[in-house]
Amino acid sequence: MFVRWQTPSDGDPRVLDVRRAEAALMEHYARLVRLVYVTLPRSPGRHRRVLAAHGLVQRALPHRGAAIPGRRRAGDTRNPDEYGALRTSVLRAAMAQDARPGPLPRRWGRWAGRPALPAVWGLRVFPQSGGAEELLLDRALAQAGWPVRAAVALLVLEKLSADDAAAALRDTGVAEPGEALLAAGRLIDGSGPHTSGTGGGTGAADAATGPRPASVADGSGTPVSALLAPEFDPCLLHARPTDLLRRRHRVRTAVTVALLAACVGATSLSLTGDSGVPAESGPRWTASKAADAALLRRTPAGVWADTARVDFTAWPARGARTGDRALLERALRAWSDPSWRGRRSQEAGAASTGTGRAPQLLFADDVDGRAVVVLHDDLTTMRYSEPLHGDGARELVSALTDGAGVTTAAAVVVSRTPASVRMLLAPWIAEAGTRDLLAPDTPARDVSLSGRGVTEPLPVPSADGDCRAWPVVQLRSSARIVEKHAFLLTDLGGLSPVHLTYMPPPEPGVRPRPPREATGPDALRGWARTACRLDGMRGQGVRAVNHWVFARQDLPEHAGRATWVCARADTWRGPGRVEYLFLGQGTGPARSAGVRENTAECSRFGQDVLADVDWRAPSGSSYLLAAGSRSVGRIEASGPLRAKADGRYLAVRAPKNTDAEVVGQLPRRAEVRAP
């Protein structure tokens, strides 16, 4: 059987042998499925994305009489490239799914009017969980548009040249393949500071080497090399059962509904008069188990020490009231019922009501005169509280905590006053203490814990702008999951505290490492000068803040050495906020050198940065100072002031508050602008 093959360069249809196309599909099936999986939207979750990728590839085989796009093999003017035609077909199908309004359909069972295959019942399948590299890459791809994801997949997975990738994107229907390839190139070259991870040790006080781009092929931990990892292989899968209790309840409900429907139908027939109109209409049967405490998921106590997924799903249910069904159902009702009357608040990006899936119980007990219940539903963590006595307000707080890990799922605030909080710590926390971030030489003070994992009242940073102290919590993980791992958390007014990390300048000739925990001497001294800037990040759903020293500059007039820092706040929603900070000679607080919202700058996917600031020398002279990351080869200032300098630094006399536009030149004629 044959189909028409339409070349993109002419209108002359040629013949494509479907049998050869089928052979090509079978030979390259895993390759095509991975290609589609990488480009599909992230919103439906890994289970449905896996099934979607397989389904779209299995439907790529052309039908008789169909015209499909394709290209000839190199040097062959007559015969088509079957694999290239199939690749174009599956990419078009993936692009069509990305263009659908809203999330992917709940059932991938509708494609050109046919039932969906493959279908999986009673199991959830997903590739194996990756590490920080894969998580960061997946988030970067999720934030990119479909053409950029497709361009990355073609360049990395298919190993196409830029020209061939542009041609493939054009065949797929991308209007501006050049722009997609440019954005993909920036993502592929990115190997700047990681946005998460742990590490130890200290770095040299020399920023001359900064984050260094790496090639795709070197296999040494570059961002896109993670595409070759098992996490992005939808043919190498793990399987887990679905919610067994919920499934059992659904089966029982279906049987009950069928029996009731049969009874109602029989009753209606017996009461129907000659006119065919029932004498009395029976009431509709409705049932909701959203507030049924029996359906709450509970994790056994020792799971956290014996699992590769150390996050909220590994928390056991703790507290003296985990068996109080009435309390639990009041909490479930508040979470599932939009009409619930109480004080409801949600942090940035969080849902205000339940998603329909039975949540997991983390905690239920009395804390500071209120009954507190903490629940988790895979994407959101919520805290319900009510007064033990009197007519105080009931309260429900929800926060997005999707993708939490060892550090970001280490604590939840269960009680708050203007001056202190109590935190419920994860079961893998072995030691807890508190320290003042503005006093780096003062050791941490031990914190007492209750038997259920709740801390004593902990001081919190002042919310009124008074930054005479910045209390943080210092935790140490159990050696059963990771050895010698201590980290810092700070309260910014949210349900989940914020993880603080530090990245010093790397040593010359040494490839930069991921951010390390901010517990070493250099990290503590660095944070002591920038901690007060955290106050501007309250209420933004911040997950973690990294302190990256991207440059150190000798000041004019032999006035010492300045440090340039990028403080990047990653949110639970994905977008990041960065503030560039200038730290002059001495130990004084940092000065802001500009802020950017919703940006990838200062992450491993945006390692080329530049900042400038006005500076006054001890002599009274004013200067414009600018510094860039390692890839910056030239800096130019324009506007009221015109100046240029080769290299990463610029220092030029300028009137105070000069409004100059500062641009840095990068390799391949790219450029970066100061905020």
Side-chain angles (χ1 to χ4, degrees):
M1 185 174 73
F2 299 89
V3 297
R4 291 177 296 133
W5 167 60
Q6 188 80 39
T7 65
S9 58
D10 58 59
D12 180 23
R14 304 179 187 276
V15 175
L16 177 67
D17 188 340
V18 175
R19 289 172 296 182
R20 293 176 60 180
E22 181 183 15
L25 188 147
M26 297 303 295
E27 179 182 358
H28 301 289
Y29 180 80
R31 180 176 167 187
L32 289 168
V33 172
R34 186 190 284 248
L35 182 69
V36 174
Y37 180 80
V38 168
T39 63
L40 281 173
R42 268 58 180 164
S43 56
R46 292 189 295 170
H47 170 80
R48 286 161 58 196
R49 186 150 54 105
V50 165
L51 298 184
H54 283 273
L56 294 180
V57 172
Q58 291 174 15
R59 296 185 181 282
L61 198 64
H63 299 282
R64 185 174 184 178
I68 61 173
R71 290 189 172 268
R72 304 182 184 92
R73 295 186 182 91
D76 191 340
T77 60
R78 296 292 304 173
N79 297 317
D81 176 5
E82 288 85 4
Y83 174 75
L86 291 171
R87 181 176 61 201
T88 301
S89 178
V90 298
L91 286 176
R92 283 190 170 185
M95 184 171 66
Q97 292 302 325
D98 187 78
R100 294 175 65 100
L104 293 176
R106 279 198 64 84
R107 295 187 59 189
W108 285 86
R110 291 299 175 190
W111 184 263
R114 291 184 172 88
L117 289 175
V120 177
W121 292 88
L123 288 174
R124 297 191 67 81
V125 295
F126 48 89
Q128 76 175 48
S129 298
E133 300 275 342
E134 292 79 7
L135 177 62
L136 290 170
L137 176 58
D138 199 49
R139 287 184 175 171
L141 291 173
Q143 295 175 26
W146 188 89
V148 178
R149 295 199 298 268
V152 170
L154 291 170
L155 293 171
V156 179
L157 298 179
E158 297 292 287
K159 297 181 174 59
L160 297 184
S161 66
D163 291 341
D164 289 342
L169 290 172
R170 198 174 294 110
D171 293 347
T172 303
V174 175
E176 298 291 342
E179 294 182 4
L181 287 170
L182 194 62
R186 287 195 295 267
L187 194 151
I188 288 173
D189 288 340
S191 63
H194 300 239
T195 55
S196 68
T198 62
T202 58
D206 183 358
T209 56
R212 174 169 51 194
S215 66
V216 175
D218 68 344
S220 58
T222 61
V224 293
S225 66
L227 279 182
L228 305 176
E231 190 192 25
F232 293 96
D233 186 355
C235 294
L236 184 63
L237 300 173
H238 292 260
R240 294 290 185 273
T242 56
D243 191 329
L244 300 178
L245 290 175
R246 191 178 183 193
R247 191 201 308 174
R248 181 185 302 171
H249 167 68
R250 284 179 171 176
V251 171
R252 290 176 177 173
T253 300
V255 172
T256 304
V257 170
L259 291 175
L260 285 174
C263 293
V264 170
T267 303
S268 299
L269 288 174
S270 66
L271 296 178
T272 301
D274 294 339
S275 63
V277 179
E280 184 177 352
S281 176
R284 293 182 59 190
W285 184 86
T286 60
S288 173
K289 294 295 184 181
D292 189 349
L295 298 182
L296 280 170
R297 292 177 287 151
R298 300 173 187 242
T299 300
V303 166
W304 64 270
D306 203 22
T307 180
R309 184 178 177 182
V310 185
D311 57 14
F312 284 115
T313 62
W315 279 41
R318 289 175 289 172
R321 301 188 66 175
T322 54
D324 188 336
R325 180 162 186 159
L327 172 63
L328 299 180
E329 292 190 345
R330 288 195 297 273
L332 286 170
R333 195 171 297 111
W335 173 235
S336 61
D337 185 359
S339 63
W340 174 77
R341 294 186 177 182
R343 185 186 303 155
R344 186 192 301 270
S345 63
Q346 59 266 6
E347 298 178 18
S352 58
T353 57
T355 60
R357 175 172 167 78
Q360 177 187 349
L361 177 62
L362 304 184
F363 179 79
D365 209 337
D366 299 338
V367 182
D368 293 338
R370 296 180 69 87
V372 177
V373 177
V374 181
L375 305 172
H376 176 67
D377 76 345
D378 298 336
L379 297 178
T380 309
T381 300
M382 70 290 298
R383 182 190 68 216
Y384 169 83
S385 65
E386 62 183 27
L388 295 177
H389 308 288
D391 299 326
R394 297 171 297 166
E395 183 181 55
L396 179 72
V397 179
S398 59
L400 185 65
T401 54
D402 181 29
V406 173
T407 55
T408 49
V412 171
V413 174
V414 292
S415 175
R416 179 181 297 278
T417 69
S420 67
V421 296
R422 288 186 189 266
M423 294 183 184
L424 173 67
L425 301 185
W428 56 82
I429 298 302
E431 298 177 12
T434 182
R435 67 186 310 151
D436 181 4
L437 208 53
L438 302 187
D441 297 327
T442 302
R445 174 184 66 82
D446 289 342
V447 168
S448 63
L449 300 176
S450 71
R452 57 193 190 274
V454 177
T455 68
E456 64 181 71
L458 303 174
V460 295
S462 173
D464 59 8
D466 181 6
C467 194
R468 287 177 291 183
W470 195 277
V472 295
V473 181
Q474 182 168 310
L475 304 178
R476 183 177 296 277
S477 301
S478 168
R480 296 174 67 181
I481 60 170
V482 58
E483 294 185 358
K484 299 180 180 179
H485 177 223
F487 55 96
L488 298 184
L489 302 178
T490 189
D491 178 73
L492 291 182
L495 187 60
S496 178
V498 177
H499 182 208
L500 301 181
T501 57
Y502 174 76
M503 187 174 179
E507 299 176 7
V510 177
R511 194 171 185 276
R513 296 187 297 173
R516 58 200 65 184
E517 300 300 347
T519 53
D522 290 343
L524 291 171
R525 283 192 289 268
W527 269 111
R529 301 185 65 184
T530 59
C532 292
R533 310 303 303 182
L534 292 169
D535 192 61
M537 303 177 187
R538 294 179 183 272
Q540 299 182 28
V542 175
R543 169 196 180 109
V545 182
N546 183 42
H547 173 116
W548 174 35
V549 180
F550 68 87
R552 282 184 173 162
Q553 180 181 17
D554 291 328
L555 294 171
E557 303 182 13
H558 305 286
R561 206 175 193 200
T563 299
W564 293 86
V565 171
C566 180
R568 176 177 174 84
D570 285 312
T571 66
W572 290 100
R573 294 170 291 122
R577 173 192 186 271
V578 301
E579 183 175 21
Y580 293 96
L581 302 172
F582 175 81
L583 284 68
Q585 182 72 16
T587 59
R591 286 180 54 198
S592 178
V595 175
R596 281 210 171 106
E597 305 281 351
N598 300 324
T599 179
E601 290 181 15
C602 304
S603 74
R604 63 173 305 159
F605 303 111
Q607 79 277 13
D608 298 322
V609 299
L610 177 70
D612 69 279
V613 71
D614 291 326
W615 177 75
R616 186 177 181 87
S619 66
S621 300
S622 295
Y623 287 82
L624 174 67
L625 304 180
S629 53
R630 180 189 42 244
S631 298
V632 175
R634 182 181 179 85
I635 299 178
E636 297 184 6
S638 59
L641 173 71
R642 303 186 68 84
K644 62 180 65 176
D646 291 331
R648 302 169 53 205
Y649 305 107
L650 173 70
V652 59
R653 287 180 181 269
K656 188 176 180 180
N657 299 324
T658 298
D659 187 17
E661 183 178 3
V662 180
V663 178
Q665 301 299 319
L666 301 172
R668 292 185 289 186
R669 298 183 180 180
E671 63 182 28
V672 59
R673 296 178 180 272

